Amino acid sequence: YALAKDVARLTADSFNTSEVHKLIKLKKGEKLGSLKSVERLLAITVGDEKAREIMGPLVGAYELRHGDAHLPGSDIDNYLELVAVKKEMPFIEQGFYLLASCVNSIYKIISILESSKTGS
């Protein structure tokens, strides 16, 4: 859970949401967090379902970060699944898969944004 908290700090807490909001259409008074904003930006290019799939690991890490300070909730299994982690794995493997799935997600985001920027 501590690793998930660090990953969330480096991702969700570090996205420049105000810049992302300039690229997406928000309804009047609508407020989106950083992950949902990036998901909506990706959806413009790849569609809602694919954008949700790509953002899944980052959302999972963001939600798992709560487990470092609080008792994990009933949704913990869903969040672990988003980051490709199984509870029965040794902790070192859990950390590896958490990092790998989040890094993979970031690479996909970068690839989509770069290709949409160049129009390819």
Side-chain angles (χ1 to χ4, degrees):
Y1 300 120
L3 179 60
K5 185 165 57 171
D6 289 338
V7 169
R9 276 191 201 121
L10 293 170
T11 57
D13 296 348
S14 297
F15 287 134
N16 188 338
T17 308
S18 61
E19 289 299 315
V20 176
H21 287 170
K22 291 177 184 177
L23 302 171
I24 61 176
K25 294 179 182 174
L26 293 177
K27 297 173 185 156
K28 187 173 176 142
E30 182 179 25
K31 295 184 184 205
L32 294 178
S34 61
L35 294 176
K36 196 50 115 170
S37 297
V38 172
E39 181 180 317
R40 190 170 294 175
L41 178 61
L42 294 175
I44 294 168
T45 304
V46 299
D48 293 340
E49 189 174 319
K50 185 70 176 172
R52 194 171 307 109
E53 177 188 318
I54 291 166
M55 294 300 295
L58 299 178
V59 170
Y62 184 81
E63 294 298 337
L64 286 171
R65 84 195 195 292
H66 296 296
D68 190 43
H70 309 287
L71 289 174
S74 60
D75 291 335
I76 196 76
D77 290 337
N78 295 334
Y79 303 138
L80 288 171
E81 187 176 324
L82 287 174
V83 294
V85 168
K86 293 181 173 43
K87 281 186 193 179
E88 56 276 355
M89 291 175 165
F91 289 134
I92 192 80
E93 284 184 35
Q94 289 181 16
F96 171 81
Y97 282 100
L98 172 90
L99 290 172
S101 63
C102 289
V103 167
N104 188 40
S105 180
I106 292 167
Y107 272 112
K108 287 178 182 177
I109 293 167
I110 291 168
S111 176
I112 290 165
L113 294 178
E114 284 180 342
S115 69
S116 67
K117 185 172 81 172
T118 61
S120 32

